[in-house]
Amino acid sequence: MTAIITSIFLAAAPLDEARWFPVSARASFSAAITSQGTPLLGVELGVLATFGKPGTGPLPFDRQGLVFGTGLRGFLAVAPWTTCDWCLTRQEFGPAFRLAYAMSDAPKPSEATHRVEERPMVPSLQLWLEASPLVVREAIPDAPLMPGGAKLGFGVRAELGVTAVAWTLTLFELVGLIAHEGSVDMGPITLPLFGLAFINQASLWFEWSSPAVSMSTNRFGATIGASF
Protein backbone atom coordinates (compact mmCIF):
# COMPACT_ATOMS: atom_id res chain seq x y z
CA MET A 1 0.00 0.00 0.00
CA THR A 2 2.84 2.41 0.87
CA ALA A 3 4.43 1.78 -2.53
CA ILE A 4 1.14 2.54 -4.33
CA ILE A 5 0.63 5.82 -2.43
CA THR A 6 4.26 6.84 -3.09
CA SER A 7 3.95 6.13 -6.81
CA ILE A 8 0.77 8.26 -7.02
CA PHE A 9 2.48 11.22 -5.36
CA LEU A 10 5.51 10.89 -7.63
CA ALA A 11 3.30 10.73 -10.71
CA ALA A 12 1.48 13.90 -9.70
CA ALA A 13 4.67 15.84 -8.92
CA PRO A 14 5.19 19.00 -10.96
CA LEU A 15 7.52 18.87 -13.95
CA ASP A 16 10.28 21.50 -13.64
CA GLU A 17 10.16 22.48 -17.32
CA ALA A 18 6.34 22.68 -17.56
CA ARG A 19 4.10 25.50 -16.41
CA TRP A 20 0.53 26.63 -16.92
CA PHE A 21 -0.25 29.76 -18.89
CA PRO A 22 -0.14 32.62 -16.33
CA VAL A 23 -3.36 34.44 -17.33
CA SER A 24 -6.98 33.36 -17.77
CA ALA A 25 -9.89 35.51 -18.99
CA ARG A 26 -13.56 34.93 -19.65
CA ALA A 27 -16.69 36.62 -20.99
CA SER A 28 -20.03 34.92 -20.39
CA PHE A 29 -23.76 35.39 -20.67
CA SER A 30 -25.47 34.84 -17.32
CA ALA A 31 -29.09 34.14 -16.35
CA ALA A 32 -30.35 33.92 -12.79
CA ILE A 33 -33.44 33.94 -10.64
CA THR A 34 -33.90 35.38 -7.16
CA SER A 35 -35.51 33.63 -4.23
CA GLN A 36 -38.59 35.80 -4.93
CA GLY A 37 -38.81 34.48 -8.50
CA THR A 38 -37.47 37.59 -10.28
CA PRO A 39 -35.30 36.84 -13.36
CA LEU A 40 -31.95 38.48 -13.98
CA LEU A 41 -29.96 38.65 -17.24
CA GLY A 42 -26.42 39.92 -17.60
CA VAL A 43 -22.85 39.62 -18.79
CA GLU A 44 -19.92 38.28 -16.76
CA LEU A 45 -16.36 39.54 -17.31
CA GLY A 46 -13.28 38.32 -15.48
CA VAL A 47 -9.50 38.07 -15.62
CA LEU A 48 -7.22 35.99 -13.40
CA ALA A 49 -3.54 35.57 -12.79
CA THR A 50 -2.95 31.80 -12.45
CA PHE A 51 -0.30 29.86 -10.58
CA GLY A 52 0.68 26.21 -10.59
CA LYS A 53 2.75 23.62 -12.38
CA PRO A 54 1.40 20.56 -14.20
CA GLY A 55 2.43 17.08 -13.22
CA THR A 56 1.80 13.65 -14.69
CA GLY A 57 -0.99 11.36 -13.58
CA PRO A 58 -3.37 8.51 -14.37
CA LEU A 59 -5.93 10.61 -16.27
CA PRO A 60 -6.26 10.47 -20.09
CA PHE A 61 -4.31 13.73 -20.48
CA ASP A 62 -0.50 13.80 -20.27
CA ARG A 63 -0.35 16.68 -17.81
CA GLN A 64 -2.63 17.64 -14.93
CA GLY A 65 -2.48 19.48 -11.67
CA LEU A 66 -3.91 22.15 -9.39
CA VAL A 67 -4.18 25.75 -10.55
CA PHE A 68 -4.69 28.72 -8.23
CA GLY A 69 -6.03 31.98 -9.58
CA THR A 70 -6.65 35.47 -8.30
CA GLY A 71 -8.02 38.46 -10.16
CA LEU A 72 -11.07 40.64 -10.76
CA ARG A 73 -14.59 39.99 -11.96
CA GLY A 74 -17.55 42.12 -12.95
CA PHE A 75 -21.24 41.48 -13.58
CA LEU A 76 -23.55 43.84 -15.49
CA ALA A 77 -27.22 42.84 -15.41
CA VAL A 78 -30.81 44.00 -15.83
CA ALA A 79 -34.05 42.82 -14.22
CA PRO A 80 -37.77 43.69 -14.47
CA TRP A 81 -39.27 46.21 -12.04
CA THR A 82 -42.78 47.12 -10.96
CA THR A 83 -42.86 50.48 -12.77
CA CYS A 84 -41.10 49.49 -16.03
CA ASP A 85 -39.87 46.49 -18.00
CA TRP A 86 -36.26 45.44 -17.41
CA CYS A 87 -35.23 48.83 -16.07
CA LEU A 88 -33.55 47.72 -12.84
CA THR A 89 -29.81 47.69 -13.42
CA ARG A 90 -27.35 45.78 -11.25
CA GLN A 91 -23.57 46.00 -11.25
CA GLU A 92 -21.21 43.83 -9.23
CA PHE A 93 -17.45 44.16 -8.88
CA GLY A 94 -14.89 42.45 -6.71
CA PRO A 95 -11.85 40.20 -6.43
CA ALA A 96 -12.07 36.59 -7.54
CA PHE A 97 -10.26 33.58 -6.11
CA ARG A 98 -10.17 30.27 -8.01
CA LEU A 99 -9.10 26.73 -7.23
CA ALA A 100 -9.02 24.51 -10.33
CA TYR A 101 -7.86 21.12 -11.51
CA ALA A 102 -6.42 21.46 -15.00
CA MET A 103 -5.58 18.85 -17.63
CA SER A 104 -3.74 19.07 -20.93
CA ASP A 105 -1.64 17.07 -23.36
CA ALA A 106 2.13 17.52 -23.38
CA PRO A 107 3.59 19.92 -25.97
CA LYS A 108 4.74 18.28 -29.18
CA PRO A 109 8.48 18.36 -30.08
CA SER A 110 9.59 21.16 -32.39
CA GLU A 111 10.07 20.04 -36.01
CA ALA A 112 13.33 22.00 -36.18
CA THR A 113 15.01 20.78 -32.99
CA HIS A 114 12.95 17.67 -32.17
CA ARG A 115 12.78 18.96 -28.60
CA VAL A 116 9.79 19.92 -26.48
CA GLU A 117 9.56 23.70 -26.28
CA GLU A 118 9.42 25.05 -22.73
CA ARG A 119 6.39 27.28 -23.28
CA PRO A 120 3.38 27.80 -20.99
CA MET A 121 0.57 25.27 -21.43
CA VAL A 122 -3.05 26.32 -21.84
CA PRO A 123 -5.21 23.75 -19.98
CA SER A 124 -7.36 21.69 -22.35
CA LEU A 125 -9.89 21.07 -19.58
CA GLN A 126 -10.43 22.77 -16.24
CA LEU A 127 -12.80 22.01 -13.39
CA TRP A 128 -12.92 24.98 -11.06
CA LEU A 129 -14.45 26.52 -7.96
CA GLU A 130 -14.47 30.30 -7.65
CA ALA A 131 -15.38 32.62 -4.77
CA SER A 132 -15.86 36.39 -4.95
CA PRO A 133 -16.66 39.03 -2.33
CA LEU A 134 -18.70 41.73 -4.07
CA VAL A 135 -19.60 45.40 -4.07
CA VAL A 136 -23.13 45.68 -5.48
CA ARG A 137 -24.95 48.66 -6.99
CA GLU A 138 -28.61 48.62 -8.04
CA ALA A 139 -30.47 51.50 -9.68
CA ILE A 140 -33.83 52.35 -11.23
CA PRO A 141 -34.77 55.42 -13.32
CA ASP A 142 -37.24 58.07 -12.20
CA ALA A 143 -40.92 57.31 -12.89
CA PRO A 144 -43.98 59.61 -12.73
CA LEU A 145 -45.30 58.04 -9.52
CA MET A 146 -42.05 56.72 -8.06
CA PRO A 147 -38.66 58.44 -7.80
CA GLY A 148 -35.64 56.51 -8.98
CA GLY A 149 -32.25 56.18 -7.40
CA ALA A 150 -29.38 53.85 -6.63
CA LYS A 151 -28.29 51.87 -3.59
CA LEU A 152 -25.06 50.12 -2.71
CA GLY A 153 -24.66 46.77 -1.00
CA PHE A 154 -22.23 43.93 -0.55
CA GLY A 155 -22.35 40.21 -1.18
CA VAL A 156 -20.48 37.01 -1.93
CA ARG A 157 -20.71 34.52 -4.78
CA ALA A 158 -19.65 30.88 -5.07
CA GLU A 159 -19.37 29.39 -8.55
CA LEU A 160 -18.64 25.89 -9.87
CA GLY A 161 -17.69 25.56 -13.52
CA VAL A 162 -15.85 23.85 -16.34
CA THR A 163 -13.72 25.29 -19.14
CA ALA A 164 -12.94 23.13 -22.20
CA VAL A 165 -10.41 24.78 -24.52
CA ALA A 166 -10.04 21.35 -26.14
CA TRP A 167 -13.56 21.85 -27.55
CA THR A 168 -12.45 25.13 -29.16
CA LEU A 169 -9.33 23.59 -30.70
CA THR A 170 -11.27 20.60 -32.03
CA LEU A 171 -13.83 22.79 -33.78
CA PHE A 172 -11.09 25.02 -35.19
CA GLU A 173 -9.47 21.94 -36.72
CA LEU A 174 -12.83 20.84 -38.13
CA VAL A 175 -13.48 24.28 -39.63
CA GLY A 176 -10.02 24.26 -41.21
CA LEU A 177 -10.58 20.80 -42.65
CA ILE A 178 -13.98 21.74 -44.09
CA ALA A 179 -12.60 24.96 -45.56
CA HIS A 180 -9.64 23.11 -47.09
CA GLU A 181 -11.69 20.29 -48.57
CA GLY A 182 -14.77 22.35 -49.47
CA SER A 183 -15.41 25.42 -51.57
CA VAL A 184 -16.44 29.06 -51.22
CA ASP A 185 -20.00 27.84 -50.65
CA MET A 186 -19.07 26.26 -47.31
CA GLY A 187 -19.52 29.54 -45.37
CA PRO A 188 -23.02 28.67 -44.03
CA ILE A 189 -21.45 25.58 -42.40
CA THR A 190 -18.09 26.91 -41.23
CA LEU A 191 -19.29 30.23 -39.79
CA PRO A 192 -21.71 28.67 -37.23
CA LEU A 193 -19.04 26.15 -36.25
CA PHE A 194 -16.49 28.95 -35.85
CA GLY A 195 -18.86 30.82 -33.53
CA LEU A 196 -19.76 27.68 -31.60
CA ALA A 197 -16.07 27.01 -30.98
CA PHE A 198 -15.89 29.96 -28.59
CA ILE A 199 -18.64 28.57 -26.33
CA ASN A 200 -16.31 26.58 -24.12
CA GLN A 201 -17.22 27.54 -20.54
CA ALA A 202 -20.25 26.82 -18.35
CA SER A 203 -20.92 27.23 -14.65
CA LEU A 204 -23.53 27.25 -11.89
CA TRP A 205 -23.46 29.84 -9.13
CA PHE A 206 -25.10 30.94 -5.90
CA GLU A 207 -24.97 34.47 -4.57
CA TRP A 208 -25.97 36.17 -1.35
CA SER A 209 -26.07 39.96 -1.10
CA SER A 210 -27.42 42.55 1.26
CA PRO A 211 -30.74 44.18 0.24
CA ALA A 212 -30.48 47.07 -2.23
CA VAL A 213 -33.22 48.45 -4.48
CA SER A 214 -34.67 45.02 -5.21
CA MET A 215 -34.44 43.76 -1.60
CA SER A 216 -33.54 40.30 -2.97
CA THR A 217 -30.76 38.54 -1.10
CA ASN A 218 -30.37 35.10 -2.71
CA ARG A 219 -29.75 34.39 -6.40
CA PHE A 220 -29.22 31.15 -8.29
CA GLY A 221 -27.72 31.38 -11.77
CA ALA A 222 -25.84 29.80 -14.65
CA THR A 223 -23.37 31.12 -17.19
CA ILE A 224 -22.23 30.07 -20.64
CA GLY A 225 -19.56 31.75 -22.70
CA ALA A 226 -15.90 31.95 -23.73
CA SER A 227 -12.87 31.43 -21.54
CA PHE A 228 -9.14 31.14 -22.30
Side-chain angles (χ1 to χ4, degrees), residues 86-162:
W86 297 95
C87 64
L88 173 68
T89 59
R90 183 179 176 90
Q91 300 90 39
E92 301 177 356
F93 302 96
F97 305 95
R98 176 181 290 190
L99 173 63
Y101 195 83
M103 293 155 274
S104 187
D105 287 323
K108 296 181 180 179
S110 170
E111 294 182 359
T113 62
H114 301 288
R115 297 177 59 187
V116 175
E117 297 180 10
E118 296 181 5
R119 60 182 184 274
M121 298 172 58
V122 176
S124 299
L125 181 66
Q126 272 194 89
L127 305 176
W128 48 268
L129 176 65
E130 195 168 296
S132 302
L134 305 169
V135 174
V136 179
R137 179 184 183 273
E138 286 189 337
I140 55 172
D142 290 327
L145 300 179
M146 182 178 294
K151 289 187 178 181
L152 294 177
F154 61 90
V156 63
R157 175 183 291 198
E159 188 169 4
L160 180 65
V162 58

Side-chain angles (χ1 to χ4, degrees), residues 40-207:
L40 185 74
L41 299 177
V43 175
E44 303 268 356
L45 300 172
V47 62
L48 297 172
T50 57
F51 309 91
K53 288 189 174 183
T56 59
L59 296 175
F61 293 94
D62 298 326
R63 302 287 184 263
Q64 49 256 309
L66 291 175
V67 178
F68 304 93
T70 180
L72 297 172
R73 66 173 298 275
F75 180 41
L76 309 176
V78 294
W81 190 243
T82 55
T83 58
C84 52
D85 292 332
W86 297 95
C87 64
L88 173 68
T89 59
R90 183 179 176 90
Q91 300 90 39
E92 301 177 356
F93 302 96
F97 305 95
R98 176 181 290 190
L99 173 63
Y101 195 83
M103 293 155 274
S104 187
D105 287 323
K108 296 181 180 179
S110 170
E111 294 182 359
T113 62
H114 301 288
R115 297 177 59 187
V116 175
E117 297 180 10
E118 296 181 5
R119 60 182 184 274
M121 298 172 58
V122 176
S124 299
L125 181 66
Q126 272 194 89
L127 305 176
W128 48 268
L129 176 65
E130 195 168 296
S132 302
L134 305 169
V135 174
V136 179
R137 179 184 183 273
E138 286 189 337
I140 55 172
D142 290 327
L145 300 179
M146 182 178 294
K151 289 187 178 181
L152 294 177
F154 61 90
V156 63
R157 175 183 291 198
E159 188 169 4
L160 180 65
V162 58
T163 300
V165 176
W167 164 261
T168 301
L169 298 178
T170 299
L171 284 189
F172 278 174
E173 292 177 358
L174 179 59
V175 168
L177 178 63
I178 293 174
H180 178 73
E181 300 294 337
S183 66
V184 294
D185 298 327
M186 299 301 291
I189 298 177
T190 56
L191 287 179
L193 286 176
F194 186 79
L196 188 61
F198 288 95
I199 308 301
N200 61 9
Q201 176 262 315
S203 68
L204 298 174
W205 54 267
F206 167 77
E207 178 182 297

